[in-house]
Amino acid sequence: MTPLLTAGLLAGATALLVLALALFARVARGPTPADRVIAVNVIGTATVVVIALVSAGLGEPGFLDVALVYALLNFLLSLGLSRFSVERGGLL
């Protein structure tokens, strides 16, 4: 892998990380629970992509296993939050 491609992948991962950090304000402020759930889901998805980009950039295929498990946990978290919200009378 060329150093330029590695730098591009790591720069993309950094950009996604910054955007994910910006979503913490949406998680904290809301205004609705649906906004918060979606923001948490987007942060989780961005984390999966960051892990995959770092894996490709560093040439470590073992990180993809971590990304896959994290994606599954993110999906289960979304289902749990949705169910919790619906049981409490809210709609997503």
Side-chain angles (χ1 to χ4, degrees):
M1 185 171 300
T2 65
L4 182 62
L5 182 61
T6 300
L9 289 171
L10 294 179
T14 304
L16 278 175
L17 188 63
V18 169
L19 291 174
L21 290 176
L23 281 172
F24 277 111
R26 179 60 58 192
V27 173
R29 284 190 277 162
T32 65
D35 292 333
R36 292 180 173 148
V37 169
I38 290 171
V40 167
N41 195 9
V42 170
I43 290 171
T45 303
T47 303
V48 171
V49 174
V50 165
I51 292 171
L53 287 174
V54 168
S55 172
L58 298 179
E60 293 286 338
F63 288 171
L64 291 176
D65 296 334
V66 175
L68 186 63
V69 170
Y70 194 85
L72 179 62
L73 290 175
N74 187 37
F75 176 69
L76 292 175
L77 173 72
S78 297
L79 287 179
L81 287 174
S82 299
R83 182 175 175 146
F84 179 73
S85 178
V86 169
E87 286 179 354
R88 294 188 67 174
L91 293 176
L92 290 178

